[in-house]
Amino acid sequence: MTKMKTSLAASALAMSLVLAFPAHADAGQTAVVQEAPLRAHLAFLASDLLEGRGTGQRGGDLTVAYLEAQAMALGLKPGNGDSFRQSVLIAGVKTQPAESTLKLEAGGKPLDLAFGRDWVFAPGDATAAHSFNAELVFVGYGITAPDQQWNDFKGMDLKGKVLVMMVNDPQPSAEQPNRFNGKGLTYYGRWTYKFEEAQRQGAAGVLLIHTTPTASYGWSVIQNSWSGVERFQLAAGTLGTPLQGWITDDTARALFSAAGQDLDALRAAAEKKDFKPVPLAARLHGDMKAAVRKVEQFNVAAVVPGTDPKLKDEVVIYSAHWDHLGKQGDSGDTIFNGAVDNASGSAALLAMAEQARKAPARRSQMFLWVAAEEQGLLGSAAYASSPLWPLAKTAANLNLDSLNFIGTTRDIGTQGSERTELGKLAETAAKAMGMQIAAAKPDLAGGYFRSDHFNFAKNGVPAFSVTSGRDYIKDPAGAKAKADAYGKRYHQASDEYDPGWDLSGMVQTAQYTLNLGRLIANGAKLPEWKAGDAFAVPRN
């Protein structure tokens, strides 16, 4: 009886997939994602041969060549003129603390600080050497948010200053329980926003005050990302401030105390709208040295042209990042394969593109593999600043990152879709496959702002990442345990492909994403943001 129920469920799912496709597709052709090619691509992309697909490493170059060759083999059209590649110029930056003489002084005396233990810093403008003699100013959360009627700077001239900021954003209060999305993190709370805003203020640098609750991770994460490793940033376009860095909470307390200030009192003041920047009796001075190299990486873009004479000039973009952490260390397992993160998404795009090629939609569809996501969404940022397809004619971006390797689910994650008209389409696509949208949770860590779709959203394109559901059909308790166990493998050398994986859930996620994309590609008009949303701006 159990086998019969399973067979019936599988048949129902297969039928729902077929029914989800528009009637305009060629007779006998449907865009049904197949497991065999998805598994083959996943196994190869996650293999040791590609050495973890590291940015600026040999494995990254091999990955781009593989994706390009597969796009050609599938008969897809190049997304960049006659090329599948889009150049992404990146600077690799590695701070040299032993050669740097940077010091923080307060009350006329230097603080005894050790790089890594107490603070970290690096150039944000891809420049190897800088000299500083700059005043420090505490600017609270460092936020300018017209949609929240919030401005921490109050018109103060901060050119050439080093700004000391808190991470996260103003917390909900009894009077305003929903300000800055209540308990959920907004983009104003992300450290990336803080660095961007400091640059807009003309600052010489920015130092973020770390606490585990406000950052959502411990100081060790900062240490591992900034100490003794090469960090990457875009080498062209708008660059960051000369100095970017973090200080521990203990360092901040020592600094503020020596400068004659009460850190806790200033933190409390920064929770109020009338907060004004506070100059500190402290300075940053000395030289900062870093090793800087320039490397060229590539996004890979392939297109299935639309069938409608007019609508084919508009496009739906499916994206996934091809990179992972590459080779690291000198002993043990030095290859960080990134099977789930994100060979899974990259493989899914290839399997989806194969089917989209057989049954095109009215609008064009682009399959975009972006570079250097692990280095700060750099490939998608480069695309958004120099798009291969006008953003004004880009209907939506659906992103895939770290897909379900456990089994099929009754739900699917579309958090962020509710901010736009994509929300209703997401529900329609889920219902057609016998699924439901996973219940939304408070975005405490700002997940919406930490994946490649966000660079499209910032530029007015409705965008979100499709994520795996958690309501597993088979062995729910065991499946959930497997999903939870992946947390220990995330960004570790142990994120490796297992031939025993049940990829039915990965196929399901890929199929759902393609179905949703086709609904958008065949729709009467371009989806829009909901009125009043922070990203409801014209597509650039």
Side-chain angles (χ1 to χ4, degrees), residues 7 27 120 154 182 205 210 227 245 261 299 364 370 395 448 455 459 485-486 524:
S7 177
V120 293
K154 304 297 190 295
H210 173 271
S227 302
Q261 297 287 348
N299 295 332
S364 297
V370 294
Y448 182 76
N455 280 316
N459 288 277
Y486 174 70

Side-chain angles (χ1 to χ4, degrees), residues 173-225:
S173 63
E175 298 78 17
Q176 294 180 293
N178 296 316
R179 71 176 185 178
F180 288 92
N181 199 32
K183 293 183 179 180
L185 188 71
T186 71
Y187 185 57
Y188 300 116
R190 290 279 294 143
W191 61 268
T192 49
Y193 168 83
K194 313 291 184 180
F195 288 160
E196 292 168 2
E197 187 58 39
Q199 187 276 332
R200 286 189 286 268
Q201 295 293 326
V206 54
L207 292 171
L208 303 180
I209 302 173
H210 173 271
T211 71
T212 297
T214 57
S216 80
Y217 41 75
W219 180 252
S220 62
V221 174
I222 305 295
Q223 285 178 306
N224 294 338
S225 299

Side-chain angles (χ1 to χ4, degrees), residues 45-64:
L45 289 166
S47 69
D48 282 357
L49 287 171
L50 295 191
E51 300 175 348
R53 308 184 306 282
T55 297
Q57 297 183 12
R58 176 177 177 271
D61 295 339
L62 292 174
T63 302
V64 168

Side-chain angles (χ1 to χ4, degrees), residues 244-518:
Q244 297 175 343
W246 292 72
I247 58 177
T248 66
D249 188 56
D250 286 343
T251 299
R253 290 185 179 281
L255 171 66
F256 279 62
S257 177
Q261 297 287 348
D262 183 328
L263 177 58
D264 289 332
L266 289 181
R267 278 177 165 150
E271 295 292 340
K272 298 178 181 179
K273 190 176 294 188
D274 61 359
F275 168 83
K276 294 181 180 180
V278 178
L280 301 175
R283 302 187 75 84
L284 173 80
H285 74 83
D287 297 328
M288 177 177 63
K289 299 294 179 65
V292 177
R293 68 179 178 120
K294 304 292 178 67
V295 295
E296 185 178 31
Q297 299 291 269
F298 296 95
N299 295 332
V300 179
V303 174
V304 175
T307 59
D308 187 279
K310 293 183 179 179
L311 294 183
K312 69 180 181 181
D313 291 336
E314 298 173 350
V315 71
V316 174
I317 298 179
Y318 309 93
S319 61
H321 72 89
W322 59 254
D323 66 303
H324 195 54
L325 304 182
K327 297 184 72 173
Q328 298 185 20
D330 300 315
S331 60
D333 187 351
T334 62
I335 297 177
F336 287 65
N337 302 76
V340 174
D341 181 19
N342 186 32
S344 64
S346 295
L349 251 60
L350 284 170
M352 291 160 58
E354 180 177 355
Q355 296 305 314
R357 169 71 175 80
K358 296 176 182 177
R362 297 174 69 197
R363 287 183 176 86
S364 297
Q365 298 171 86
M366 177 185 290
F367 295 84
L368 178 65
W369 293 267
V370 294
E373 184 271 354
E374 301 289 3
Q375 308 303 326
L377 316 184
L378 300 185
S380 56
Y383 180 93
S385 65
S386 299
L388 302 179
W389 205 289
L391 295 183
K393 293 188 176 182
T394 301
N397 168 239
L398 305 178
N399 187 61
L400 292 175
D401 192 345
S402 300
L403 302 193
N404 177 359
F405 61 96
I406 296 168
T408 53
T409 60
R410 297 180 181 86
D411 59 347
I412 193 77
T414 64
Q415 193 148 357
S417 68
E418 72 282 354
R419 307 175 72 136
T420 73
E421 292 176 348
L422 295 178
K424 291 296 184 182
L425 290 174
E427 292 177 3
T428 298
K431 184 176 180 180
M433 292 179 64
M435 295 192 295
Q436 61 185 11
I437 301 301
K441 299 179 180 179
D443 193 1
L444 301 180
Y448 182 76
F449 316 109
R450 298 167 65 174
S451 205
D452 284 303
H453 70 262
F454 182 58
N455 280 316
F456 289 90
K458 283 199 298 184
N459 288 277
V461 176
F464 69 96
S465 290
V466 178
T467 58
S468 303
R470 299 279 288 184
D471 186 5
Y472 296 99
I473 294 174
K474 181 180 179 182
D475 184 18
K480 187 177 184 301
K482 288 181 181 179
D484 292 341
Y486 174 70
K488 296 181 179 179
R489 303 203 307 276
Y490 173 70
H491 278 198
Q492 303 299 316
S494 55
D495 183 6
E496 297 179 320
Y497 168 68
D498 183 346
W501 278 345
D502 176 356
L503 296 191
S504 59
M506 196 174 295
V507 173
Q508 182 186 43
T509 303
Q511 186 69 67
Y512 172 81
T513 307
L514 185 58
N515 286 7
L516 175 56
R518 288 170 62 82

